[in-house]
Amino acid sequence: MKALIYKGPNAKAIEERPKPEIGAPGDAIVRMLKTTICGTDLHILKGDVASCQPGRILGHEGVGVIDSVGAAVTAFHKDDHVLISCVTACAKCEYCRRGMYSHCLTGGWILGNSIDGTQAEYVRIPHADSSLYLIPSGADEEALVMLSDILPTGFECGVLNGKITPGATVAIVGAGPIGLATLLTAQFYSPAQIIMIDLDNNRLAVAKRFGATDTINSGDGHAKEALMRLTNNRGVDRVPVSLHLEQLWDRNISITTRLVDTVSMPVLLKSLSTGKIDASQLITHHFKFAQMLEAYDTFAHAAETKSLKVIIEAD
Amino acid sequence: MKALIYKGPNAKAIEERPKPEIGAPGDAIVRMLKTTICGTDLHILKGDVASCQPGRILGHEGVGVIDSVGAAVTAFHKDDHVLISCVTACAKCEYCRRGMYSHCLTGGWILGNSIDGTQAEYVRIPHADSSLYLIPSGADEEALVMLSDILPTGFECGVLNGKITPGATVAIVGAGPIGLATLLTAQFYSPAQIIMIDLDNNRLAVAKRFGATDTINSGDGHAKEALMRLTNNRGVDRVPVSLHLEQLWDRNISITTRLVDTVSMPVLLKSLSTGKIDASQLITHHFKFAQMLEAYDTFAHAAETKSLKVIIEAD
Amino acid sequence: MKALIYKGPNAKAIEERPKPEIGAPGDAIVRMLKTTICGTDLHILKGDVASCQPGRILGHEGVGVIDSVGAAVTAFHKDDHVLISCVTACAKCEYCRRGMYSHCLTGGWILGNSIDGTQAEYVRIPHADSSLYLIPSGADEEALVMLSDILPTGFECGVLNGKITPGATVAIVGAGPIGLATLLTAQFYSPAQIIMIDLDNNRLAVAKRFGATDTINSGDGHAKEALMRLTNNRGVDRVPVSLHLEQLWDRNISITTRLVDTVSMPVLLKSLSTGKIDASQLITHHFKFAQMLEAYDTFAHAAETKSLKVIIEAD
Amino acid sequence: MKALIYKGPNAKAIEERPKPEIGAPGDAIVRMLKTTICGTDLHILKGDVASCQPGRILGHEGVGVIDSVGAAVTAFHKDDHVLISCVTACAKCEYCRRGMYSHCLTGGWILGNSIDGTQAEYVRIPHADSSLYLIPSGADEEALVMLSDILPTGFECGVLNGKITPGATVAIVGAGPIGLATLLTAQFYSPAQIIMIDLDNNRLAVAKRFGATDTINSGDGHAKEALMRLTNNRGVDRVPVSLHLEQLWDRNISITTRLVDTVSMPVLLKSLSTGKIDASQLITHHFKFAQMLEAYDTFAHAAETKSLKVIIEAD
């Protein structure tokens, strides 16, 4: 099969690889229908991610069709359409039981990282029963690609960790795909004000269309002043570029970090299916699998191409 | 001054009463601009509320203008426009500190109950600093009357106690003013499905307009079956008419009770001021103070008059 | 093998049965070392539990040794000593992911109910990876039998649902094994006062020894007055025998129901292993498996035998 | 009256000052019985606290007797014995209503900072109704001095912000008075393991006596390794000396900051009164008011004097 291979820092290629096989009773083999590229893939290509070694098939997002399953898989059958979570979860270890799938002792973010990923014709998914989600017939499968990573990341790391509440004033620094996913899902909790901060006026315009109440272009170095003006000098829960804990110690604040766990998948699936959120808005470009390298170029030059998320479909 | 007086079961009258005076350093005297009638006022008139004795001026909702304040009042001054909370809170006792203003040791729901209320030209508000809310200039004061009681009641007792979350399936039994206030504020949390149950098709039509995803007229005795159909046999968090705890003991459910505390006032004020909610939709009729008895008649016969909330304005 | 069989209302017998076999890849066969009898077993024997049909091997508690495992079991191996949870959990269905193992779509409380249980020489445990817990060498295995059901039931249904906090005043109605397990685990949260209410002075004396600050024998019909005296007329969060919701509607209370989920098992195991709780205190009598019928008699007549929990060991 | 005056960086003196007077209706004048010195007082004396200007009477802790009250004070009367909170709270502003007394718009930490403090014969307490706590007769008033600041600081900033739970593994860096107060109150939630880290073996020995399960002297630079050994390489929720957010971003951690709000005062008072905590353990030295300078010396040289908290009593 064809696959997009990480060849070491700043090198990638489409190469022929053997089709993956069931290795453990919990595995499933999925034929890919649609995948996409993540900012993390660009980091890997820069050589920033030590856990991802040259030779690896990249990609941790997408939807596909079940090709075969191992003996212990009970939730999926051949020909089921499935959404792939970027985080693989055994569901049984102590971390999975606490909802921290990203720290799963035999899973976590491994796809397109420590095992081969989704930018290929087929992918092997370990712990399939708890790492795939059945796509109901009639669903918008392209929009669902946004649920593999970007929407749960914005929702879990931004909205849930940020404890957004009705009436709150929220600032989001960065209007890229993750920031916009946070913007979309923050509205689940009806904050009074959502202020979006970015250097790119195009992305700020997109943010306005996605529901931001205010935007700030921080290019002039006066983002803080603009923020205080917009909030009657009350300020917001925000993420300064540099953290001065010696000034923050008495402010009753929380700084949280988190890798997406995709525990919010059931909530997001239900919200998408009832029209509470339109994930397809995040998709700006379409490519065929054979055009994968062009897709990477488009995504890597977002300022010029105005790309947010790109969809790569099976040929 | 003129005031609406409870004269004992099934009897009320507009009578002349002395204008109230400052009695404690924390008191304020408020000249009423707009008030309304609550279902609770109808209960009092039926003789159902033992704490409210004949001779009492009724009413616990409304907006007005500060006429005078006691020596310890620091937050309000003469001529300030204020929203009156139905719950009086000292802010200092152990219950107020836990956010349970309704159990305030020297307050709680006393207006139009154990002390004279707001259906009069003037009203005395104890603990004014923590029982009144400043109305910003330019606000829709009529819509704010809905914040005295009905919106915090729906929000606190229904939405917050009910822990409504994104993706949830919610049923609200009763589409009267409280049920509709619950419907409006439940949408702060983006539930996937809100099913409204009532006997009155007019109110169910209003509920649809207010954002209900589904409605059930329970008049045919098959509300439960309709509910299960609408939820793919999953059911919802609901309030059956009769509670069979012997059947419910193993269902992981919570039954909560609560008197409105109006602790949510700041959140609701901010949500109104930023247009997240349109409280004026709840108002169906307008009267002058001199028409108070007519207002009571209209409100008491809601099925025929299609009334939800009525506004009574100063003459 | 020998097993205790439910023979229909008021009838039980020890009979010879075939040793259970692996039926699904996730199954484990466990050789029982120690088991016990639950109040629920007595209910079954009265014919109160429709889901449990005659012919069933009873019992849902105990510790044992892994005899064999299915192909998909990865956490346990032959000869591992394991604690059996009374609740079987697949860990993958939507309820298990929300921590509601008791509502697992293919599990829940099935042992000694809809499938054969632990009062036998061997038992088959479905979903073994997420329904068994490894016993570290050196642990007090007898005390761990208390973790199969009774301690998580008291902790989850009583302490966690009851949201016990430091400084709180708590009343526990009923000083049987469940009430005492609640008493022991309530102390995890350092409430200021724990008042135990029962009709049996022996059990109230045990409660005092287990950490109750006060006890009330409710036999005189004046438990409420005693409770108010003990709390300076403030009252507590308590469970009246009959619920008068018409009197409780404005009290800011929560009534919760729940079947034990055993999600608290990791916390309880850690608490036991570090000596934060002494579960062995709950054990009052010991029997051999051949004495099972005598064990049932002793447990069923708790007032006379002063039994709390009985241990039944392999012969 | 005599008072301890901050005379600018590294300078202090006992001087004669006029007895304070009621300035606002909510004020109370308190005759001091016992006070103490806080690490913060030492910071002020180093010139580190810009808000505290030379000429200020220091001190924000202590117990005393009501000398007189303003017209709006209802909770206290002459001769009542009271505990003084280090944080002054109006109870009515938006921050106080959210339990953030430290951010009170007209209060917060002002005593011995922006207004005169408690290291004097008398002190004026603004917002007395919500900034003082009645001491029940028979209470250990000396132990209660620990509740003015140190116990709520350890409890709120350490234990509540740290979300200590049963079964948790906790590390506390620093075994000074605040760290020890955290240690004492962490035990309210029955964590499985509390590891105390300090450079001073005397303080680590005290920590062991106060309930630490393990201690680490970090003087050898290998605290991290020791911590990992003690936790089977699982680690704990801990506070590294330097925060490397670039390494922490995917760890599901929260870093919280907070000034003590003293909202936990009712819980701590109840816990003390029921013997759940022995605050007097923190007191190591006693002085008379005339010996204040000696008390400062003792407290400032804790390593040699082995002082934790010192009590300064009225002469």
Side-chain angles (χ1 to χ4, degrees):
Chain A
M1 66 172 190
K2 292 268 186 292
L4 190 285
I5 311 294
Y6 169 55
K7 305 288 292 179
N10 301 308
K12 62 180 178 298
I14 294 183
E15 297 188 352
E16 190 67 29
R17 289 294 172 97
K19 182 180 160 186
E21 292 175 5
I22 297 291
D27 285 356
I29 304 300
V30 176
R31 177 165 55 86
M32 294 303 302
L33 291 176
K34 295 169 193 289
T35 185
T36 183
I37 307 167
C38 183
T40 305
D41 296 321
L42 302 184
H43 281 295
I44 292 174
L45 285 170
K46 284 186 193 142
D48 288 350
V49 182
S51 53
C52 184
Q53 291 296 304
R56 177 68 59 233
I57 301 175
L58 296 185
H60 50 267
E61 300 166 278
V63 296
V65 179
I66 296 284
D67 184 68
S68 62
V69 296
V73 173
T74 59
F76 301 104
H77 306 92
K78 188 169 163 51
D79 296 332
D80 282 348
H81 282 227
V82 291
L83 167 64
I84 299 166
S85 168
C86 65
V87 165
T88 301
C90 76
K92 301 184 294 195
C93 73
E94 71 173 276
Y95 294 106
C96 281
R97 292 200 194 196
R98 291 159 63 188
M100 296 167 71
Y101 300 168
S102 65
H103 291 65
C104 174
L105 292 173
T106 58
W109 172 45
I110 54 175
L111 277 182
N113 179 8
S114 57
I115 68 169
D116 284 333
T118 59
Q119 292 171 4
E121 291 177 66
Y122 292 88
V123 65
R124 182 180 66 89
I125 304 294
H127 303 310
D129 271 349
S130 39
S131 305
L132 296 174
Y133 292 82
L134 192 67
I135 300 179
S137 67
D140 176 351
E141 300 199 345
E142 193 164 296
L144 285 176
V145 176
M146 302 299 106
L147 255 71
S148 283
D149 180 346
I150 196 165
L151 277 173
T153 294
F155 185 53
E156 296 175 12
C157 306
V159 177
L160 295 183
N161 265 22
K163 293 183 184 152
I164 310 299
T165 55
T169 301
V170 178
I172 299 171
V173 181
I178 297 291
L180 292 170
T182 305
L183 170 61
L184 284 173
T185 52
Q187 296 171 70
F188 284 170
Y189 292 94
S190 309
Q193 205 176 2
I194 310 180
I195 303 166
M196 208 82 189
I197 303 170
D198 202 289
L199 291 159
D200 181 331
N201 281 330
N202 171 57
R203 289 192 161 188
L204 290 174
V206 171
K208 269 283 197 179
R209 218 166 59 233
F210 280 27
T213 57
D214 304 275
T215 60
I216 297 175
N217 188 313
S218 53
D220 64 2
H222 296 301
K224 186 180 165 183
E225 291 73 15
L227 200 61
M228 295 310 276
R229 256 196 319 277
L230 284 170
T231 59
N232 297 322
N233 283 307
R234 286 301 169 92
V236 298
D237 296 328
R238 70 205 153 81
V239 187
V241 173
S242 50
L243 287 168
H244 292 285
L245 283 180
E246 75 282 6
Q247 294 169 18
L248 298 175
W249 69 276
D250 64 349
R251 299 299 177 91
N252 287 32
I253 62 167
S254 292
I255 301 159
T256 64
T257 77
R258 178 178 186 174
L259 195 60
V260 61
D261 290 302
T262 67
V263 281
S264 63
M265 212 61 110
V267 164
L268 291 172
L269 279 168
K270 195 149 192 189
S271 296
L272 242 79
S273 74
T274 55
K276 293 288 164 192
I277 199 171
D278 177 9
S280 64
Q281 302 176 83
L282 288 159
I283 303 165
T284 54
H285 294 73
H286 289 79
F287 299 92
K288 288 287 175 184
F289 187 83
Q291 302 168 299
M292 180 81 86
L293 297 178
E294 188 185 338
Y296 260 91
D297 275 352
T298 300
F299 183 68
H301 299 88
E304 304 98 78
T305 61
K306 301 195 193 309
S307 66
L308 293 170
K309 289 294 278 186
V310 303
I311 287 286
I312 298 135
E313 292 173 286
D315 295 322
Chain B
M1 66 172 191
K2 291 269 185 293
L4 188 286
I5 311 295
Y6 169 54
K7 305 291 290 181
N10 301 309
K12 62 181 178 296
I14 294 183
E15 296 187 353
E16 190 67 29
R17 288 294 173 95
K19 183 180 160 185
E21 291 175 6
I22 298 290
D27 284 356
I29 305 299
V30 176
R31 177 166 55 84
M32 294 303 302
L33 291 176
K34 294 169 195 289
T35 187
T36 183
I37 306 168
C38 184
T40 305
D41 295 321
L42 302 185
H43 281 296
I44 292 173
L45 285 169
K46 283 187 194 142
D48 288 350
V49 182
S51 53
C52 185
Q53 290 296 304
R56 178 67 62 230
I57 301 175
L58 295 185
H60 50 265
E61 300 166 278
V63 297
V65 179
I66 295 284
D67 184 68
S68 62
V69 296
V73 174
T74 59
F76 302 103
H77 307 91
K78 189 171 160 52
D79 295 333
D80 283 348
H81 281 227
V82 291
L83 167 64
I84 299 167
S85 168
C86 65
V87 164
T88 301
C90 77
K92 300 185 295 196
C93 73
E94 70 173 275
Y95 294 106
C96 282
R97 291 199 193 196
R98 291 160 64 189
M100 295 166 71
Y101 299 167
S102 65
H103 292 65
C104 174
L105 292 173
T106 58
W109 172 45
I110 55 175
L111 278 182
N113 178 7
S114 57
I115 69 170
D116 284 334
T118 60
Q119 292 170 4
E121 290 178 65
Y122 293 87
V123 64
R124 181 180 68 87
I125 304 292
H127 304 310
D129 272 350
S130 38
S131 306
L132 296 174
Y133 292 83
L134 193 66
I135 300 179
S137 67
D140 177 351
E141 300 200 345
E142 195 163 295
L144 285 175
V145 176
M146 301 300 105
L147 256 72
S148 284
D149 180 346
I150 196 165
L151 276 173
T153 294
F155 186 53
E156 296 175 10
C157 306
V159 176
L160 295 182
N161 265 22
K163 293 184 182 149
I164 310 300
T165 56
T169 301
V170 178
I172 300 173
V173 181
I178 297 292
L180 292 169
T182 305
L183 170 60
L184 284 173
T185 52
Q187 295 172 69
F188 284 171
Y189 292 95
S190 308
Q193 204 176 5
I194 311 180
I195 303 165
M196 209 80 189
I197 303 169
D198 201 289
L199 290 159
D200 181 331
N201 281 330
N202 172 57
R203 290 192 159 187
L204 290 174
V206 171
K208 268 283 196 179
R209 218 167 58 233
F210 279 28
T213 56
D214 304 276
T215 59
I216 297 174
N217 188 313
S218 52
D220 63 1
H222 296 300
K224 185 180 167 185
E225 290 73 17
L227 200 61
M228 295 310 276
R229 254 195 321 276
L230 284 169
T231 60
N232 296 323
N233 283 308
R234 286 301 170 91
V236 298
D237 297 329
R238 68 203 155 82
V239 186
V241 174
S242 50
L243 288 167
H244 292 285
L245 284 179
E246 75 281 8
Q247 295 169 18
L248 298 174
W249 69 275
D250 63 347
R251 300 296 179 91
N252 285 34
I253 63 166
S254 291
I255 300 160
T256 64
T257 77
R258 178 176 186 176
L259 194 61
V260 62
D261 290 303
T262 69
V263 281
S264 63
M265 211 62 110
V267 164
L268 291 173
L269 278 168
K270 197 149 190 187
S271 296
L272 241 77
S273 74
T274 54
K276 293 287 164 193
I277 199 172
D278 177 8
S280 65
Q281 302 176 83
L282 288 160
I283 302 166
T284 53
H285 294 75
H286 289 79
F287 299 91
K288 288 287 175 184
F289 187 84
Q291 301 168 298
M292 179 80 87
L293 296 178
E294 189 184 338
Y296 261 91
D297 274 352
T298 300
F299 183 69
H301 298 88
E304 301 99 76
T305 62
K306 301 195 191 309
S307 66
L308 292 171
K309 289 293 279 186
V310 302
I311 287 286
I312 299 135
E313 293 174 284
D315 296 321
Chain C
M1 67 173 190
K2 290 269 186 294
L4 189 286
I5 311 294
Y6 169 53
K7 306 290 289 179
N10 301 309
K12 62 182 180 295
I14 294 182
E15 298 189 352
E16 190 68 28
R17 288 293 172 97
K19 182 180 160 186
E21 292 175 5
I22 298 290
D27 284 355
I29 305 299
V30 176
R31 178 165 55 87
M32 294 304 302
L33 292 175
K34 293 170 194 289
T35 186
T36 183
I37 307 167
C38 183
T40 305
D41 296 321
L42 302 185
H43 280 295
I44 292 173
L45 285 170
K46 283 187 194 141
D48 287 350
V49 182
S51 53
C52 185
Q53 291 295 306
R56 177 68 62 231
I57 301 175
L58 294 185
H60 50 265
E61 301 166 278
V63 297
V65 179
I66 296 284
D67 184 69
S68 63
V69 295
V73 173
T74 59
F76 302 102
H77 306 91
K78 190 171 161 51
D79 294 334
D80 282 348
H81 281 226
V82 291
L83 167 64
I84 299 167
S85 168
C86 65
V87 165
T88 301
C90 76
K92 300 186 294 196
C93 72
E94 71 174 276
Y95 294 106
C96 281
R97 291 201 194 195
R98 291 159 64 188
M100 295 166 72
Y101 300 168
S102 65
H103 290 65
C104 173
L105 292 173
T106 56
W109 171 45
I110 54 175
L111 278 182
N113 178 8
S114 57
I115 69 170
D116 284 334
T118 60
Q119 292 171 5
E121 290 178 66
Y122 292 88
V123 64
R124 181 180 67 89
I125 304 292
H127 304 310
D129 271 351
S130 37
S131 306
L132 296 173
Y133 293 83
L134 193 67
I135 300 179
S137 67
D140 176 352
E141 299 200 346
E142 192 163 296
L144 285 176
V145 176
M146 302 298 108
L147 255 72
S148 283
D149 180 346
I150 196 164
L151 277 172
T153 294
F155 186 52
E156 297 175 11
C157 306
V159 177
L160 295 183
N161 265 22
K163 293 183 181 149
I164 309 300
T165 56
T169 301
V170 177
I172 299 172
V173 181
I178 297 290
L180 292 169
T182 305
L183 170 60
L184 284 173
T185 52
Q187 295 171 71
F188 284 172
Y189 293 95
S190 308
Q193 204 176 4
I194 310 180
I195 303 165
M196 209 81 188
I197 304 169
D198 201 288
L199 290 159
D200 180 331
N201 281 331
N202 171 58
R203 290 191 159 187
L204 290 173
V206 172
K208 268 283 196 180
R209 217 167 60 234
F210 280 28
T213 56
D214 303 275
T215 59
I216 297 175
N217 187 314
S218 51
D220 63 1
H222 296 300
K224 185 179 165 185
E225 291 72 18
L227 199 62
M228 294 310 277
R229 255 197 321 275
L230 284 169
T231 60
N232 296 323
N233 283 308
R234 284 304 168 91
V236 298
D237 298 326
R238 68 201 154 84
V239 187
V241 173
S242 50
L243 287 167
H244 292 286
L245 284 180
E246 75 282 6
Q247 293 169 19
L248 298 174
W249 69 275
D250 63 348
R251 299 296 178 92
N252 287 33
I253 62 166
S254 292
I255 301 160
T256 63
T257 77
R258 178 177 186 176
L259 194 62
V260 62
D261 290 303
T262 67
V263 281
S264 63
M265 211 62 109
V267 165
L268 291 172
L269 278 168
K270 197 150 192 186
S271 297
L272 240 80
S273 75
T274 55
K276 294 288 164 191
I277 199 172
D278 176 7
S280 64
Q281 302 177 83
L282 288 160
I283 302 165
T284 54
H285 294 74
H286 289 78
F287 300 91
K288 288 288 176 185
F289 188 83
Q291 302 167 298
M292 179 80 85
L293 297 179
E294 188 185 339
Y296 261 92
D297 275 351
T298 301
F299 184 68
H301 299 87
E304 303 96 79
T305 62
K306 300 195 194 309
S307 66
L308 292 172
K309 290 293 281 185
V310 301
I311 288 285
I312 299 135
E313 292 174 287
D315 294 321
Chain D
M1 67 172 191
K2 291 268 186 293
L4 189 286
I5 311 293
Y6 169 54
K7 305 291 290 179
N10 301 309
K12 62 182 180 296
I14 293 182
E15 297 189 351
E16 189 68 29
R17 289 293 174 97
K19 181 181 160 186
E21 291 174 5
I22 298 290
D27 284 356
I29 305 300
V30 176
R31 178 164 56 84
M32 293 304 302
L33 291 176
K34 295 171 193 288
T35 186
T36 183
I37 306 167
C38 183
T40 305
D41 296 322
L42 302 184
H43 281 294
I44 292 173
L45 285 169
K46 284 186 192 142
D48 289 348
V49 183
S51 53
C52 185
Q53 290 296 304
R56 176 69 59 232
I57 301 175
L58 294 185
H60 49 266
E61 300 166 279
V63 296
V65 178
I66 295 284
D67 185 67
S68 62
V69 296
V73 174
T74 60
F76 302 103
H77 306 92
K78 188 170 162 53
D79 296 332
D80 282 348
H81 282 227
V82 290
L83 167 64
I84 299 167
S85 167
C86 64
V87 165
T88 301
C90 77
K92 299 185 295 194
C93 73
E94 70 174 274
Y95 295 106
C96 282
R97 291 201 194 195
R98 290 161 62 190
M100 295 167 71
Y101 300 168
S102 65
H103 290 66
C104 174
L105 293 173
T106 58
W109 172 45
I110 55 175
L111 277 182
N113 178 7
S114 57
I115 69 170
D116 284 333
T118 60
Q119 292 171 4
E121 290 178 67
Y122 292 87
V123 64
R124 180 181 67 88
I125 304 293
H127 304 310
D129 272 350
S130 38
S131 305
L132 296 174
Y133 292 82
L134 192 67
I135 301 179
S137 68
D140 176 352
E141 299 200 346
E142 194 163 294
L144 285 176
V145 176
M146 302 299 107
L147 256 71
S148 284
D149 180 347
I150 196 165
L151 276 172
T153 294
F155 185 53
E156 296 175 11
C157 306
V159 177
L160 295 183
N161 265 21
K163 293 184 182 149
I164 310 300
T165 55
T169 302
V170 177
I172 300 172
V173 181
I178 296 291
L180 292 169
T182 304
L183 170 60
L184 285 173
T185 52
Q187 295 171 71
F188 284 171
Y189 292 95
S190 308
Q193 204 176 4
I194 310 180
I195 303 165
M196 208 81 189
I197 303 169
D198 202 288
L199 292 159
D200 181 331
N201 281 330
N202 171 56
R203 289 191 161 190
L204 290 174
V206 171
K208 269 282 197 181
R209 219 168 57 233
F210 280 28
T213 56
D214 304 275
T215 60
I216 297 175
N217 189 315
S218 52
D220 62 3
H222 297 300
K224 185 180 164 183
E225 291 73 16
L227 200 61
M228 294 310 276
R229 252 196 324 275
L230 283 170
T231 60
N232 296 323
N233 283 308
R234 286 301 169 92
V236 299
D237 297 327
R238 69 202 154 81
V239 187
V241 173
S242 50
L243 287 168
H244 292 286
L245 284 180
E246 76 281 7
Q247 294 170 17
L248 298 175
W249 68 276
D250 64 348
R251 300 297 178 93
N252 287 34
I253 62 166
S254 291
I255 301 159
T256 64
T257 78
R258 177 176 187 176
L259 194 61
V260 62
D261 290 302
T262 68
V263 281
S264 63
M265 211 61 110
V267 165
L268 291 172
L269 279 168
K270 196 149 192 187
S271 297
L272 242 79
S273 74
T274 54
K276 294 286 163 191
I277 200 172
D278 176 8
S280 65
Q281 300 176 85
L282 288 160
I283 302 164
T284 53
H285 292 74
H286 289 80
F287 299 92
K288 287 287 175 186
F289 187 84
Q291 302 167 297
M292 180 80 85
L293 297 178
E294 188 184 341
Y296 261 91
D297 276 351
T298 301
F299 184 68
H301 299 87
E304 304 97 79
T305 62
K306 300 195 194 307
S307 67
L308 292 170
K309 290 293 280 185
V310 303
I311 287 285
I312 300 135
E313 292 174 287
D315 294 321

